[in-house]
Amino acid sequence: MQGDERTYAYPIAIRAVKSDDAMTADWARLPYELLEKVSSRRSSTMVPEVNRVVYDVSSKPPSTIEWE
């Protein structure tokens, strides 16, 4: 939703992981200040095709490294 209307635009997905062996991975704890900066720079005047930023905190396993 943007204002009073539903929008259909693209998301920006942040998926930062840490891994020692590529068989397992844990999500990287990014600073809130960095996430806020990425989200606010995505404003509709800078990137009008994007309407949200998501931060994936899934570990591998059970999820995979690729975000689908």
Side-chain angles (χ1 to χ4, degrees):
M1 299 290 293
Q2 287 180 324
D4 293 332
E5 298 179 17
R6 180 176 298 276
T7 61
Y8 297 94
Y10 296 102
I12 292 176
I14 299 173
R15 181 109 199 281
V17 297
K18 299 183 295 182
S19 178
D20 293 326
D21 58 8
M23 297 301 291
T24 61
D26 193 21
W27 59 281
R29 277 75 174 164
L30 300 179
Y32 289 137
E33 294 80 15
L34 174 64
L35 295 172
E36 180 181 21
K37 187 174 187 177
V38 170
S39 179
S40 64
R41 294 204 55 193
R42 184 255 12 119
S43 70
S44 59
T45 57
M46 295 182 81
V47 190
E49 302 85 17
V50 172
N51 70 351
R52 65 195 171 279
V53 176
V54 298
Y55 179 37
D56 188 339
V57 295
S58 302
S59 296
K60 176 189 175 184
S63 66
T64 63
I65 294 295
E66 300 82 13
W67 198 72
E68 299 178 30

